[in-house]
Amino acid sequence: MLLSELKQATTASEQRSCNGVADRLTQEVGRICTESKRIQASGEADAWATALARHRLQQCLTYYSLGSVRGRVELHSNLSAVVYRYINPSMSQASYQARLTLIEDFLQGFYVEALTAFRRETQLGPTYTPRTLIELAEYMAFTERYGKRRIPLPGNRNQQLIILRAQTFSQQQPTETLVDLERAAEGTLLESETPWNVASIQQVREQMVAQEPELPEDTLRQTVIKELVAYLEERKQADCIEYFVLRLQDLPANEIEQILKLTPRQRDYLQQRFKYHLIRFAFSHHWELVHQWLEVDLERNLGLSNKQWQALQEQITPQQGTLLKMKQQKMPDAAIAQTLGCTINQVQKQWFKLLEQAWEIRNDQDSGGSQSPHE
């Protein structure tokens, strides 16, 4: 059953890996059902096995549909939300950015631990690494389940494994040290300085000296943010701006709801309204700036490979094809409208649709399969 559904949901090139994934999921489900006294006592072990197998399969296919990049982002976001409140060095109030850095360090180590556990529990070799998208999806689904496992504690309590690891990680972090930035910049040390303070001042000074100018892509990103905020202000979307600022801080949905004093339904509605304006901004009003920042501008064939570019050419209408060629020649909209015999507004609408088609082709290729409703 697992093998059949895996083959139906994956591409032909992935199906060679489906046998291994199906075997490993079957072994895991069989082991759980055999060792669980509750399942054995129910007298419905086969029904439990089927339900559990389908659950495992759905988790795997969810990550598969997201693709390697978005799948990793989804996994990282899910686990970050779980450990956020627990990653905080003792006796200190770490800033939001400092906590994000600590979470990043912690999760990198946790991913290695999860891969080791995956090899051990599936009886794979010590050098096994996921090679295909379906194998990567299997590993990411396992990592999420592994982190959320309940570990029994004294006093009839239990806790998720990843939270216990996060608490241990936080306790092992060194305490914060106050550093005089002026003395660090000058490189002056006092005779009374402890070795720890001396090392801290030296590290801060090294970072000051090694600080590089802002990268061009960072400057371009800030320009995109500034223009988007101005676009929203022009349309009197103050609540969308507040939501956007909080999203830039990577805050989870529940914290955004608390700060803005919204219900989940109101926050979802605001999110959809922001998404609408964001798409209009990216595909119409400031499309050149956004596409340049994403490195998918016209000079790069809208970020499409040769095969994808050919697919786009086959999808668009003859009028859109002419529009695309004139855009590549950097003709103004007024001249394009005159050539095509239509209004400037119609030119902009046709260009919006064309950019949207290119975006969908890129997303479809990135996801490793059919486009998900969230892309």
Side-chain angles (χ1 to χ4, degrees), residues 167-372:
Q167 290 172 332
T168 302
F169 175 83
S170 293
Q171 292 169 2
Q172 293 173 344
Q173 299 305 304
T175 56
E176 289 184 349
T177 302
L178 297 177
V179 176
D180 189 323
L181 292 181
E182 291 186 3
R183 287 200 294 115
E186 296 171 359
T188 57
L189 299 172
L190 302 177
E191 294 183 359
S192 59
E193 298 279 11
T194 65
W196 180 262
N197 285 343
V198 171
S200 300
I201 291 175
Q202 289 175 343
Q203 287 180 3
V204 172
R205 177 165 174 75
E206 288 173 2
Q207 291 296 321
M208 288 179 169
V209 173
Q211 193 171 28
E212 297 179 356
E214 193 172 22
L215 296 174
E217 55 265 29
D218 292 335
T219 304
L220 192 56
R221 177 178 182 271
Q222 292 303 319
T223 303
V224 171
I225 292 173
K226 182 179 177 181
E227 291 295 335
L228 177 55
V229 170
Y231 170 85
L232 293 171
E233 285 178 343
E234 184 180 343
R235 281 151 184 79
K236 296 180 172 54
Q237 297 293 324
D239 49 352
C240 285
I241 296 174
E242 293 177 347
Y243 176 77
F244 178 46
V245 170
L246 296 176
R247 284 295 303 271
L248 286 174
Q249 298 175 25
D250 238 1
L251 294 180
N254 61 333
E255 289 193 26
I256 293 178
E257 291 164 6
Q258 291 176 359
I259 293 172
L260 298 181
K261 298 180 180 178
L262 300 174
T263 65
R265 185 174 181 178
Q266 290 173 327
R267 192 265 311 156
D268 184 63
Y269 173 74
L270 176 59
Q271 178 178 315
Q272 294 302 319
R273 184 150 50 89
F274 171 72
K275 182 179 178 181
Y276 167 81
H277 287 290
L278 183 62
I279 291 174
R280 304 296 300 183
F281 173 83
F283 287 168
S284 181
H285 298 269
H286 289 75
W287 72 268
E288 291 177 293
L289 176 65
V290 174
H291 282 67
Q292 181 186 358
W293 171 52
L294 297 175
E295 298 184 350
V296 292
D297 48 17
L298 278 172
E299 295 179 357
R300 299 178 178 86
N301 287 345
L302 298 176
L304 302 175
S305 65
N306 292 335
K307 183 178 179 181
Q308 292 172 323
W309 183 253
Q310 184 63 35
L312 177 65
Q313 302 280 348
E314 295 172 358
Q315 287 182 16
I316 60 179
T317 64
Q319 188 180 45
Q320 285 179 316
T322 305
L323 170 61
L324 179 58
K325 291 178 182 178
M326 288 189 285
K327 281 286 188 180
Q328 288 176 313
Q329 296 168 5
K330 299 184 178 180
M331 291 177 60
D333 287 350
I336 295 174
Q338 186 175 6
T339 303
L340 296 179
C342 59
T343 65
I344 294 177
N345 190 37
Q346 289 172 328
V347 168
Q348 293 173 345
K349 286 182 178 179
Q350 285 292 322
W351 185 240
F352 182 98
K353 291 179 181 178
L354 196 149
L355 290 177
E356 198 170 27
Q357 287 175 271
W359 194 276
E360 288 173 355
I361 291 175
R362 282 198 306 274
N363 278 352
D364 185 62
Q365 187 260 358
D366 289 341
S367 67
S370 60
Q371 186 176 0
S372 80

Side-chain angles (χ1 to χ4, degrees), residues 153-176:
L153 299 174
N156 293 324
R157 296 180 301 114
N158 60 73
Q159 185 56 278
Q160 292 181 340
L161 174 66
I162 194 170
I163 291 178
L164 296 176
R165 296 285 191 270
Q167 290 172 332
T168 302
F169 175 83
S170 293
Q171 292 169 2
Q172 293 173 344
Q173 299 305 304
T175 56
E176 289 184 349

